[in-house]
Every structure is written in C-alpha cells, then in structure tokens.
Amino acid sequence: MREVQLIKQFEERINNGESIEPKDWMPEKYRKQLIRMMSQHAHSEIVGMLPEGNWITRAPNLRRKLALLAKVQDEAGHGLYIYSATETLGVDRSDLIEQLLTGKAKYSSIFNYPTLSWADIGVIGWLVDGAAIVNQTMLAKGSFGPYSRAMIRICKEENFHKKQGFEIVATLAKGTPEQKEMVQDAVNRWWWPSLMMFGPHDSDSPNSEDLMKWKVKLNSNDELRQRFVDLTIPQAKAVGLTVPDPDLKYNEETGHWEFGEINWEEFWNVVKGNGLMNKDRLRARNKAHEEGAWVREAARAYAEKRETAN
Ligand SMILES: [Fe+2]
Ligand SMILES: [Fe+2]
C-alpha cells in the first residue's frame, strides 16, 4: 500500500478515537516524536528523584520521611515504566540512558533548580507534581496505547504526590512566622519555573502541530499552563500564600487568571545546560550508573544461567 493511503488510514483511526499499538503501522515522524517525548519524560522522572532525594535524610519526622521515600521511589517506577513503553517503539533502553548520561537528551528543566529548604519539598509536590498532573491527564487521552495507559496509572500516584506536598505547604503556612516565611520563599523561587514546565509559547513550539494532529498531545502548552494557573491560584489563596507575579489578576469575563510574562531567557538558558544544577544532576546520574554496573552484570549473568539451565 502506498504511504499516502497508509497515512490516511492511520489518521482515520486516530480521528475515530482508536489507540495506536506498537505493531500497528505508523508514520516514521509519529514514531520519532513519541520516542523523543517519551524518553524525555522517562529521563525527567529519574532525574526528578535527585532534588527530593536530597531531603530524605533531613525530613522533620518519620511520617514525612516515609511519605517522601515512597514518593521518590514512585518516580523511579514511573521512569522504568515509561522506558519500557518507549522500548515498544523499537528503541533500546540502554541507548536512551546513554543519551541522558552524555547530556545529549533533555529532561524537564525544573530539576535543574536546587532544593534549598524543607519547604521546597512541599512546594515541589504541590506545584511540580501538580503541573505534571495537568500535563499527564492530557497525555492519558493520547493516541499511543502504551503511553496513554502508563499515564493513567502514573497519574493516580501523582495525585498522592501532590497531596503530600500540599499538606507540607499548608502545615508550614499556618506554622510559626519563620515557617510561613520559609514556605513563601519556596513558592517565590518555584512559581515561575513551574510555569515554564509547560514549555515555550505555542508560537515557539515547533513540534506541537504534528503532535496535536496525531493526538499525542490534545492541548497546547499555553492552554495547559492556563489550566494549571487557574487551578493553583485558589489553592495558594486558601493557605494564605501569594505568587511572585505583580501582573496576576482575575478576569471576570473569561473566568481565567491572567498572569505576567515568563522570563524566556532564563528558560532557554536552563534548557541549554546553564541552570544552577545541570552539571550536578548529570554528575549524580553518571555516578549512580557507574555504581550500579555490578547489579546489571549480576542480573545479566543470572539471566544467562537460567537460559542455559532450561
Ligand atoms: Fe512521576
Ligand atoms: Fe510525582
């Protein structure tokens, strides 16, 4: 069958709401875009463990420590799950990991900011996992079966992450003046990077058009960012915190919160590798990879042994 016809059939299936499975025919561009997006997502889950892992030993009590430990472990699970889903597209996980370790692959820029206080852990759960939920709820309705199914499962855990974060934030916000100041400072530092998580403006997002036509994404970056702001501002108000945006105002007519311009220079600078923690994160991942070499070797030897025993 000619490619034009195949594409037509493929697009018809998508428009009928069918999901595309790994063995189905798909345009090469769809496959490539998904590999790019899904591997970046998997890398983000894994690198995302670092800023929070930094606080496990310093959590203020056992309950907080257990919750944070479980959350960081969940993120590892998300990463592994999405790497597996990416492999269904015919790539090898070790190649993807290699791209991460050499700095060739990208991951979410939010993880290149440092976690300076315990309040950052609350604010990350609230804002960063909150932003991830907005994005992933959309991805759960996407056209590629393995990815959308992974998102449904992952979103359930993200909700728990967000709740544990918001609980920390709410507790600090009604604590001593020092605690309130600490949590407000964390919000001030994480607010804009959280909005950047949705990516560049639609007009500067070169991949968005195809991704939307093929229902890999169902909403644009700006639409999702607006949804996140609309959801989050009332939550901030509920606990008496503010966001560092003098232009923020509610528009009665549209029912949306209007917000100021994002510092795109900062965004691109961090994407290019010049954020505060880019080098640290890559160094930590490389170290963990090297230190885990014996585990991979042992697993390989064990698998071979079982193979010959059968
Ligand atoms: Fe996650
Ligand atoms: Fe999470």
Side-chain angles (χ1 to χ4, degrees):
M1 213 183 294
R2 281 174 40 227
E3 173 129 22
V4 207
Q5 269 171 302
L6 286 166
I7 292 186
K8 197 166 160 261
Q9 277 182 2
F10 170 83
E11 290 181 346
E12 266 168 21
R13 291 188 61 200
I14 289 183
N15 289 334
N16 292 335
E18 283 179 51
S19 74
I20 305 299
E21 297 301 327
K23 292 212 165 80
D24 296 345
W25 186 89
M26 60 185 80
E28 194 50 23
K29 201 169 173 191
Y30 177 83
R31 199 179 75 88
K32 286 228 168 83
Q33 290 279 23
L34 272 168
I35 292 172
R36 183 188 61 85
M37 221 170 119
M38 291 168 73
S39 59
Q40 275 184 18
H41 189 165
H43 299 329
S44 303
E45 301 281 354
I46 299 293
V47 178
M49 296 164 75
L50 295 167
E52 290 179 293
N54 183 31
W55 279 89
I56 290 173
T57 54
R58 290 178 284 165
N61 59 46
L62 189 58
R63 181 171 166 267
R64 296 286 188 220
K65 198 189 288 280
L66 281 173
L68 181 59
L69 199 57
K71 180 204 192 279
V72 173
Q73 202 171 356
D74 282 351
E75 307 299 5
H78 298 172
L80 298 182
Y81 200 14
I82 303 170
Y83 281 130
S84 292
T86 319
E87 283 187 306
T88 67
L89 289 161
V91 282
D92 197 275
R93 181 184 312 210
S94 55
D95 293 335
L96 301 176
I97 291 174
E98 183 68 22
Q99 289 166 8
L100 170 67
L101 296 177
T102 53
K104 212 178 129 205
K106 297 266 178 280
Y107 55 85
S108 180
S109 280
I110 193 86
F111 303 120
N112 291 318
Y113 290 83
T115 39
L116 303 178
S117 75
W118 169 250
D120 287 27
I121 299 308
V123 171
I124 287 179
W126 174 36
L127 298 182
V128 177
D129 291 82
I133 292 171
V134 170
N135 191 35
Q136 292 174 177
T137 304
M138 169 209 54
L139 293 173
K141 297 181 203 118
S143 61
F144 186 55
Y147 196 27
S148 57
R149 287 191 290 273
M151 288 304 108
I152 292 171
R153 200 168 133 182
I154 287 174
C155 272
K156 289 189 183 142
E157 294 183 345
E158 298 297 1
N159 275 304
F160 155 73
H161 299 169
K162 188 187 164 189
K163 276 183 199 150
Q164 69 90 36
F166 191 66
E167 200 209 350
I168 296 173
V169 167
T171 306
L172 292 172
K174 58 173 194 273
T176 63
E178 288 83 2
Q179 286 173 318
K180 183 159 187 192
E181 197 185 315
M182 178 169 77
V183 72
Q184 182 62 60
D185 170 66
V187 174
N188 293 348
R189 283 180 290 107
W190 290 94
W191 175 251
W192 289 109
S194 300
L195 296 194
M196 293 176 198
M197 281 176 73
F198 296 95
H201 277 314
D202 299 344
S203 49
D204 300 319
S205 180
N207 298 316
S208 275
E209 206 179 318
D210 278 335
L211 293 177
M212 286 184 71
K213 183 173 78 184
W214 290 331
K215 298 202 173 128
V216 174
K217 285 176 71 168
L218 284 96
N219 300 96
S220 73
N221 296 352
D222 287 329
E223 280 169 1
L224 293 173
R225 188 164 18 240
Q226 184 65 56
R227 187 175 297 169
F228 172 73
V229 173
D230 289 342
L231 283 169
T232 310
I233 296 301
Q235 294 164 359
K237 287 192 179 295
V239 290
L241 294 169
T242 57
V243 300
D245 181 355
D247 296 326
L248 185 82
K249 63 171 188 295
Y250 188 68
N251 184 326
E252 294 279 351
E253 261 167 51
T254 60
H256 292 300
W257 284 94
E258 291 171 359
F259 50 96
E261 190 56 25
I262 289 169
N263 181 347
W264 293 111
E265 205 182 306
E266 175 183 325
F267 172 79
W268 291 114
N269 198 34
V270 181
V271 169
K272 280 182 201 131
N274 303 321
L276 284 169
M277 299 301 283
N278 294 59
K279 291 191 182 69
D280 266 67
R281 300 297 182 230
L282 273 192
R283 203 180 307 126
R285 278 316 313 153
N286 274 288
K287 185 168 173 272
H289 192 72
E290 280 156 29
E291 287 172 359
W294 71 271
V295 181
R296 293 190 296 280
E297 270 160 40
R300 208 173 297 125
Y302 181 69
E304 273 165 23
K305 215 167 160 185
R306 282 184 59 130
E307 193 90 336
T308 44
N310 286 334

PDB file of all heavy atoms in Angstrom, residues 41 44-46 71 74-79 82 111 129 132 136 154-155 157-158 161, ligand 1:
ATOM      1  N   HIS A  41      10.459  12.209  28.929  1.00  0.00           N
ATOM      2  CA  HIS A  41       9.588  12.064  30.100  1.00  0.00           C
ATOM      3  C   HIS A  41      10.210  11.071  31.099  1.00  0.00           C
ATOM      4  O   HIS A  41      10.298  11.343  32.293  1.00  0.00           O
ATOM      5  CB  HIS A  41       8.205  11.609  29.626  1.00  0.00           C
ATOM      6  CG  HIS A  41       7.166  11.625  30.704  1.00  0.00           C
ATOM      7  ND1 HIS A  41       5.826  11.557  30.438  1.00  0.00           N
ATOM      8  CD2 HIS A  41       7.266  11.677  32.055  1.00  0.00           C
ATOM      9  CE1 HIS A  41       5.150  11.589  31.588  1.00  0.00           C
ATOM     10  NE2 HIS A  41       6.001  11.652  32.580  1.00  0.00           N
ATOM     11  N   SER A  44      13.059  12.559  32.867  1.00  0.00           N
ATOM     12  CA  SER A  44      12.618  13.554  33.855  1.00  0.00           C
ATOM     13  C   SER A  44      12.212  12.882  35.163  1.00  0.00           C
ATOM     14  O   SER A  44      12.478  13.402  36.246  1.00  0.00           O
ATOM     15  CB  SER A  44      11.435  14.366  33.321  1.00  0.00           C
ATOM     16  OG  SER A  44      11.793  14.982  32.108  1.00  0.00           O
ATOM     17  N   GLU A  45      11.547  11.733  35.050  1.00  0.00           N
ATOM     18  CA  GLU A  45      11.139  11.017  36.266  1.00  0.00           C
ATOM     19  C   GLU A  45      12.385  10.602  37.065  1.00  0.00           C
ATOM     20  O   GLU A  45      12.428  10.735  38.284  1.00  0.00           O
ATOM     21  CB  GLU A  45      10.335   9.758  35.910  1.00  0.00           C
ATOM     22  CG  GLU A  45       9.067  10.022  35.101  1.00  0.00           C
ATOM     23  CD  GLU A  45       7.898  10.511  35.952  1.00  0.00           C
ATOM     24  OE1 GLU A  45       8.019  10.553  37.188  1.00  0.00           O
ATOM     25  OE2 GLU A  45       6.863  10.858  35.356  1.00  0.00           O
ATOM     26  N   ILE A  46      13.386  10.113  36.342  1.00  0.00           N
ATOM     27  CA  ILE A  46      14.583   9.606  37.023  1.00  0.00           C
ATOM     28  C   ILE A  46      15.426  10.754  37.604  1.00  0.00           C
ATOM     29  O   ILE A  46      15.835  10.712  38.766  1.00  0.00           O
ATOM     30  CB  ILE A  46      15.439   8.765  36.026  1.00  0.00           C
ATOM     31  CG1 ILE A  46      14.631   7.560  35.508  1.00  0.00           C
ATOM     32  CG2 ILE A  46      16.765   8.337  36.633  1.00  0.00           C
ATOM     33  CD1 ILE A  46      14.304   6.511  36.538  1.00  0.00           C
ATOM     34  N   LYS A  71       7.430   8.529  47.728  1.00  0.00           N
ATOM     35  CA  LYS A  71       7.239   9.360  46.537  1.00  0.00           C
ATOM     36  C   LYS A  71       8.433   9.236  45.588  1.00  0.00           C
ATOM     37  O   LYS A  71       8.276   9.025  44.390  1.00  0.00           O
ATOM     38  CB  LYS A  71       7.059  10.831  46.943  1.00  0.00           C
ATOM     39  CG  LYS A  71       6.864  11.734  45.739  1.00  0.00           C
ATOM     40  CD  LYS A  71       7.252  13.168  46.033  1.00  0.00           C
ATOM     41  CE  LYS A  71       6.787  14.111  44.947  1.00  0.00           C
ATOM     42  NZ  LYS A  71       7.668  14.126  43.780  1.00  0.00           N
ATOM     43  N   ASP A  74       8.338   6.053  43.884  1.00  0.00           N
ATOM     44  CA  ASP A  74       7.320   6.065  42.815  1.00  0.00           C
ATOM     45  C   ASP A  74       7.900   6.656  41.536  1.00  0.00           C
ATOM     46  O   ASP A  74       7.638   6.174  40.435  1.00  0.00           O
ATOM     47  CB  ASP A  74       6.128   6.959  43.200  1.00  0.00           C
ATOM     48  CG  ASP A  74       5.177   6.296  44.189  1.00  0.00           C
ATOM     49  OD1 ASP A  74       5.326   5.092  44.453  1.00  0.00           O
ATOM     50  OD2 ASP A  74       4.285   7.015  44.697  1.00  0.00           O
ATOM     51  N   GLU A  75       8.677   7.737  41.683  1.00  0.00           N
ATOM     52  CA  GLU A  75       9.222   8.400  40.486  1.00  0.00           C
ATOM     53  C   GLU A  75      10.163   7.451  39.740  1.00  0.00           C
ATOM     54  O   GLU A  75      10.178   7.423  38.509  1.00  0.00           O
ATOM     55  CB  GLU A  75       9.954   9.706  40.834  1.00  0.00           C
ATOM     56  CG  GLU A  75       9.174  10.734  41.665  1.00  0.00           C
ATOM     57  CD  GLU A  75       7.893  11.254  41.017  1.00  0.00           C
ATOM     58  OE1 GLU A  75       7.520  10.769  39.938  1.00  0.00           O
ATOM     59  OE2 GLU A  75       7.255  12.140  41.613  1.00  0.00           O
ATOM     60  N   ALA A  76      10.904   6.642  40.480  1.00  0.00           N
ATOM     61  CA  ALA A  76      11.762   5.643  39.822  1.00  0.00           C
ATOM     62  C   ALA A  76      10.884   4.677  39.035  1.00  0.00           C
ATOM     63  O   ALA A  76      11.172   4.354  37.877  1.00  0.00           O
ATOM     64  CB  ALA A  76      12.573   4.877  40.865  1.00  0.00           C
ATOM     65  N   GLY A  77       9.787   4.252  39.652  1.00  0.00           N
ATOM     66  CA  GLY A  77       8.852   3.346  38.975  1.00  0.00           C
ATOM     67  C   GLY A  77       8.293   3.975  37.708  1.00  0.00           C
ATOM     68  O   GLY A  77       8.219   3.329  36.661  1.00  0.00           O
ATOM     69  N   HIS A  78       7.936   5.257  37.789  1.00  0.00           N
ATOM     70  CA  HIS A  78       7.404   5.944  36.600  1.00  0.00           C
ATOM     71  C   HIS A  78       8.437   5.932  35.478  1.00  0.00           C
ATOM     72  O   HIS A  78       8.116   5.683  34.325  1.00  0.00           O
ATOM     73  CB  HIS A  78       7.062   7.408  36.906  1.00  0.00           C
ATOM     74  CG  HIS A  78       5.988   7.571  37.951  1.00  0.00           C
ATOM     75  ND1 HIS A  78       5.654   8.787  38.491  1.00  0.00           N
ATOM     76  CD2 HIS A  78       5.179   6.657  38.555  1.00  0.00           C
ATOM     77  CE1 HIS A  78       4.684   8.619  39.372  1.00  0.00           C
ATOM     78  NE2 HIS A  78       4.385   7.338  39.436  1.00  0.00           N
ATOM     79  N   GLY A  79       9.669   6.219  35.849  1.00  0.00           N
ATOM     80  CA  GLY A  79      10.740   6.241  34.849  1.00  0.00           C
ATOM     81  C   GLY A  79      10.873   4.885  34.170  1.00  0.00           C
ATOM     82  O   GLY A  79      10.868   4.786  32.940  1.00  0.00           O
ATOM     83  N   ILE A  82       7.938   4.099  31.872  1.00  0.00           N
ATOM     84  CA  ILE A  82       7.927   4.846  30.600  1.00  0.00           C
ATOM     85  C   ILE A  82       9.077   4.401  29.695  1.00  0.00           C
ATOM     86  O   ILE A  82       8.924   4.353  28.481  1.00  0.00           O
ATOM     87  CB  ILE A  82       7.945   6.376  30.850  1.00  0.00           C
ATOM     88  CG1 ILE A  82       6.747   6.773  31.722  1.00  0.00           C
ATOM     89  CG2 ILE A  82       7.863   7.137  29.531  1.00  0.00           C
ATOM     90  CD1 ILE A  82       6.782   8.202  32.227  1.00  0.00           C
ATOM     91  N   PHE A 111      14.135  20.366  37.122  1.00  0.00           N
ATOM     92  CA  PHE A 111      15.004  19.625  38.037  1.00  0.00           C
ATOM     93  C   PHE A 111      16.436  20.173  38.060  1.00  0.00           C
ATOM     94  O   PHE A 111      17.297  19.633  38.739  1.00  0.00           O
ATOM     95  CB  PHE A 111      14.963  18.127  37.723  1.00  0.00           C
ATOM     96  CG  PHE A 111      13.559  17.591  37.800  1.00  0.00           C
ATOM     97  CD1 PHE A 111      12.939  17.012  36.700  1.00  0.00           C
ATOM     98  CD2 PHE A 111      12.838  17.712  38.986  1.00  0.00           C
ATOM     99  CE1 PHE A 111      11.625  16.569  36.777  1.00  0.00           C
ATOM    100  CE2 PHE A 111      11.526  17.261  39.077  1.00  0.00           C
ATOM    101  CZ  PHE A 111      10.922  16.692  37.970  1.00  0.00           C
ATOM    102  N   ASP A 129       4.581  18.460  40.884  1.00  0.00           N
ATOM    103  CA  ASP A 129       3.716  17.303  40.622  1.00  0.00           C
ATOM    104  C   ASP A 129       2.338  17.771  40.155  1.00  0.00           C
ATOM    105  O   ASP A 129       1.709  17.123  39.319  1.00  0.00           O
ATOM    106  CB  ASP A 129       3.609  16.398  41.851  1.00  0.00           C
ATOM    107  CG  ASP A 129       4.929  15.682  42.132  1.00  0.00           C
ATOM    108  OD1 ASP A 129       5.808  16.307  42.752  1.00  0.00           O
ATOM    109  OD2 ASP A 129       5.091  14.523  41.705  1.00  0.00           O
ATOM    110  N   ALA A 132       2.683  18.446  36.605  1.00  0.00           N
ATOM    111  CA  ALA A 132       2.806  17.150  35.906  1.00  0.00           C
ATOM    112  C   ALA A 132       1.435  16.502  35.746  1.00  0.00           C
ATOM    113  O   ALA A 132       1.133  15.916  34.705  1.00  0.00           O
ATOM    114  CB  ALA A 132       3.755  16.227  36.671  1.00  0.00           C
ATOM    115  N   GLN A 136      -0.066  15.289  32.339  1.00  0.00           N
ATOM    116  CA  GLN A 136      -0.230  13.840  32.160  1.00  0.00           C
ATOM    117  C   GLN A 136      -1.691  13.413  32.045  1.00  0.00           C
ATOM    118  O   GLN A 136      -1.984  12.395  31.422  1.00  0.00           O
ATOM    119  CB  GLN A 136       0.471  13.097  33.304  1.00  0.00           C
ATOM    120  CG  GLN A 136       1.989  13.268  33.200  1.00  0.00           C
ATOM    121  CD  GLN A 136       2.794  12.703  34.354  1.00  0.00           C
ATOM    122  OE1 GLN A 136       4.010  12.757  34.322  1.00  0.00           O
ATOM    123  NE2 GLN A 136       2.150  12.180  35.374  1.00  0.00           N
ATOM    124  N   ILE A 154       0.120   6.250  36.256  1.00  0.00           N
ATOM    125  CA  ILE A 154       1.054   7.185  36.896  1.00  0.00           C
ATOM    126  C   ILE A 154       0.310   8.353  37.546  1.00  0.00           C
ATOM    127  O   ILE A 154       0.662   8.806  38.638  1.00  0.00           O
ATOM    128  CB  ILE A 154       2.107   7.644  35.860  1.00  0.00           C
ATOM    129  CG1 ILE A 154       3.082   6.491  35.591  1.00  0.00           C
ATOM    130  CG2 ILE A 154       2.831   8.894  36.317  1.00  0.00           C
ATOM    131  CD1 ILE A 154       4.084   6.747  34.489  1.00  0.00           C
ATOM    132  N   CYS A 155      -0.754   8.831  36.887  1.00  0.00           N
ATOM    133  CA  CYS A 155      -1.497   9.984  37.434  1.00  0.00           C
ATOM    134  C   CYS A 155      -2.078   9.694  38.809  1.00  0.00           C
ATOM    135  O   CYS A 155      -2.177  10.585  39.646  1.00  0.00           O
ATOM    136  CB  CYS A 155      -2.610  10.404  36.481  1.00  0.00           C
ATOM    137  SG  CYS A 155      -2.019  11.585  35.268  1.00  0.00           S
ATOM    138  N   GLU A 157      -0.711   7.977  41.132  1.00  0.00           N
ATOM    139  CA  GLU A 157       0.361   8.196  42.107  1.00  0.00           C
ATOM    140  C   GLU A 157       0.719   9.676  42.214  1.00  0.00           C
ATOM    141  O   GLU A 157       1.037  10.171  43.293  1.00  0.00           O
ATOM    142  CB  GLU A 157       1.582   7.349  41.738  1.00  0.00           C
ATOM    143  CG  GLU A 157       1.259   5.882  41.871  1.00  0.00           C
ATOM    144  CD  GLU A 157       2.436   4.952  41.592  1.00  0.00           C
ATOM    145  OE1 GLU A 157       3.451   5.396  41.018  1.00  0.00           O
ATOM    146  OE2 GLU A 157       2.305   3.772  41.928  1.00  0.00           O
ATOM    147  N   GLU A 158       0.657  10.382  41.089  1.00  0.00           N
ATOM    148  CA  GLU A 158       0.976  11.819  41.127  1.00  0.00           C
ATOM    149  C   GLU A 158       0.009  12.563  42.039  1.00  0.00           C
ATOM    150  O   GLU A 158       0.384  13.538  42.686  1.00  0.00           O
ATOM    151  CB  GLU A 158       0.941  12.438  39.724  1.00  0.00           C
ATOM    152  CG  GLU A 158       1.933  11.878  38.714  1.00  0.00           C
ATOM    153  CD  GLU A 158       3.395  12.085  39.083  1.00  0.00           C
ATOM    154  OE1 GLU A 158       3.698  12.655  40.140  1.00  0.00           O
ATOM    155  OE2 GLU A 158       4.257  11.644  38.300  1.00  0.00           O
ATOM    156  N   HIS A 161       1.324  12.341  45.363  1.00  0.00           N
ATOM    157  CA  HIS A 161       2.495  13.226  45.490  1.00  0.00           C
ATOM    158  C   HIS A 161       2.065  14.663  45.740  1.00  0.00           C
ATOM    159  O   HIS A 161       2.629  15.376  46.553  1.00  0.00           O
ATOM    160  CB  HIS A 161       3.353  13.188  44.221  1.00  0.00           C
ATOM    161  CG  HIS A 161       3.885  11.827  43.915  1.00  0.00           C
ATOM    162  ND1 HIS A 161       4.493  11.520  42.723  1.00  0.00           N
ATOM    163  CD2 HIS A 161       3.875  10.689  44.647  1.00  0.00           C
ATOM    164  CE1 HIS A 161       4.860  10.242  42.734  1.00  0.00           C
ATOM    165  NE2 HIS A 161       4.491   9.723  43.885  1.00  0.00           N
TER     166      HIS A 161
HETATM  167 FE    FE B   1       6.261  10.925  38.327  1.00  0.00          FE
END
